[in-house]
């Protein structure tokens, strides 16, 4: 009887293994649909939507992914999702900072504005003075031009 127990143990383990493998295989059944084409088949993965072209001769068959814009769109979607995540984090970080204007902030802004206004006023005074000097030069009477040896002005 002991012999039977030892002999049955590997069979029992194989049975358990088969029970765990066959349900997965049963789920995979029907996952792919095949459509005949010239020189092979189109295989559609009904779970992911991926399409492959299957071709071969005799026992050697292989399937290669069909050129599809789907993968490019999925890559672009993944990139945009990553960018969106980064932007959301930046918005949260900015939102976490207080946006209250304190009286000290107002005083600092007014001091800066006063400095700019004073400098601008000085520049205007300098430009006014230079314009008046230039105006005086342009409106000054023309002095008599020296005459040439023949008695005519140059």
């Amino acid at each position: 009887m002991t012999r039977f127990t030892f002999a049955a143990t590997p069979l029992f383990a194989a049975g358990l293994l088969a029970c765990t493998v066959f349900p997965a295989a049963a789920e995979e059944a029907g996952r792919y649909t095949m459509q005949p084409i010239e020189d092979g088949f189109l295989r559609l993965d009904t779970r992911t939507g991926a399409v492959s072209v299957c071709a071969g001769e005799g026992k050697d068959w292989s399937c290669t992914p069909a050129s599809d814009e789907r993968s490019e769109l999925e890559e672009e979607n993944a990139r945009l999702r990553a960018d969106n995540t980064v932007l959301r984090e930046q918005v949260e970080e900015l939102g976490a900072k207080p946006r209250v204007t304190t009286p000290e902030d107002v005083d600092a802004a007014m001091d800066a504005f006063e400095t700019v206004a004073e400098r601008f006023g000085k520049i205007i005074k300098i430009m006014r003075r230079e314009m008046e000097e230039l105006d005086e030069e342009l409106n000054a009477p023309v002095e008599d031009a020296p005459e040439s040896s023949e008695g005519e002005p140059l």
Side-chain angles (χ1 to χ4, degrees):
M1 180 119 163
T2 312
R3 260 184 173 178
F4 178 74
T5 305
F6 287 122
T9 303
L11 289 175
F12 180 71
L16 283 177
L17 181 63
C19 288
T20 60
V21 172
F22 288 126
E27 286 180 16
E28 293 294 317
R31 176 176 176 179
Y32 297 100
T33 60
M34 305 290 272
Q35 180 69 34
I37 61 169
E38 186 178 323
D39 298 329
F41 292 92
L42 280 181
R43 179 181 74 178
L44 170 66
D45 185 338
T46 58
R47 188 179 306 159
T48 65
V51 176
S52 299
V53 176
C54 301
E57 294 181 21
K59 295 180 182 180
D60 298 328
W61 281 77
S62 64
C63 296
T64 57
S67 60
D68 187 8
E69 293 178 4
R70 180 183 178 100
S71 61
E72 292 175 15
L73 292 174
E74 288 174 354
E75 289 173 9
E76 178 72 6
N77 191 11
R79 186 187 64 77
L80 291 173
R81 285 180 186 271
D83 289 350
N84 193 6
T85 301
V86 169
L87 291 173
R88 285 183 187 271
E89 290 171 358
Q90 290 176 351
V91 166
E92 286 179 20
E93 183 179 313
L94 290 172
K97 295 179 181 175
R99 295 191 177 217
V100 177
T101 303
T102 63
E104 291 82 18
D105 294 336
V106 173
D107 289 340
M110 290 305 294
D111 289 342
F113 179 74
E114 287 173 4
T115 302
V116 169
E118 287 173 9
R119 289 184 182 171
F120 185 70
K122 289 178 183 176
I123 292 171
I124 295 297
K125 286 179 184 177
I126 292 169
M127 289 178 66
R128 181 178 292 148
R129 197 174 326 129
E130 289 179 359
M131 291 299 290
E132 287 172 358
E133 290 173 5
L134 183 61
D135 192 39
E136 288 175 7
E137 287 178 20
L138 291 175
N139 290 329
V142 178
E143 296 179 17
D144 293 333
E147 293 184 19
S148 67
S149 59
E150 299 177 6
E152 293 182 18
L154 292 176

